Amino acid sequence: MSNLDVLLLDDEPIVGKRLKPALAKVGCEVEVFQNPVEALKRIDEKDFDIVVTDISMAEVDGMQVLEHVVAKNNATKVIMITGFAMMSLAREAMEKGAFDFIAKPFKPDDLRAIIARAAEALGKPIAFEAGESA
């Protein structure tokens, strides 16, 4: 079992603070960013297995991050998170190549379940069973 490289981008510090240890527990190497410009620079430097990005951010929104990732490495799975769960946005994200979409508020297990599916799709399964504590 190999570790998954995950980039987590959300402009709310609490999101990264909560999710990084939750994802590390299932074997993910997580880099957390609050600034999308810095995250894009890092994406240019390194191929991540999975990018988890908020949609609503000030300078660069999650859709732009999604487009950037897909253009750079089509194999990277992008999971969109947002506090504004709108079906039209979800549909647009999926059409642009997002792996999945999750609406805030969600539990760490909800995201880990999606990460586990993305890991399967990448051929890098992780040890995760729903119901594990955060």
Side-chain angles (χ1 to χ4, degrees):
M1 191 170 69
S2 57
N3 283 348
L4 282 177
D5 288 321
V6 177
L7 183 143
L8 176 63
L9 169 61
D10 196 304
D11 55 1
E12 294 178 48
I14 186 69
V15 174
K17 196 172 173 184
R18 268 191 81 201
L19 294 177
K20 183 175 181 177
L23 295 178
K25 277 178 68 174
V26 292
C28 297
E29 295 283 333
V30 185
E31 293 187 31
V32 176
F33 291 85
Q34 291 164 34
N35 181 326
V37 174
E38 289 175 14
L40 288 177
K41 274 189 208 162
R42 186 66 178 134
I43 288 165
D44 283 339
E45 293 168 358
K46 178 177 176 178
D47 282 326
F48 288 89
D49 296 307
I50 297 172
V51 172
V52 181
T53 179
D54 192 12
I55 288 186
S56 302
M57 295 176 288
E59 290 176 75
V60 179
D61 71 25
M63 288 299 190
Q64 291 169 286
V65 173
L66 169 65
E67 289 168 3
H68 190 89
V69 171
V70 169
K72 184 190 179 244
N73 184 349
N74 212 1
T76 301
K77 304 298 180 199
V78 182
I79 298 166
M80 315 296 289
I81 54 178
T82 183
F84 306 97
M86 294 166 36
M87 284 312 293
S88 60
L89 266 182
R91 195 173 303 121
E92 185 184 344
M94 298 306 273
E95 283 172 5
K96 289 185 175 180
F99 179 77
D100 210 338
F101 188 92
I102 189 167
K104 291 181 197 170
F106 58 85
K107 295 177 182 152
D109 259 3
D110 298 335
L111 180 61
R112 282 191 293 217
I114 295 173
I115 297 266
R117 283 195 294 110
E120 281 286 338
L122 288 163
K124 296 181 173 185
I126 59 172
F128 168 72
E129 288 182 29
E132 289 179 16
S133 61

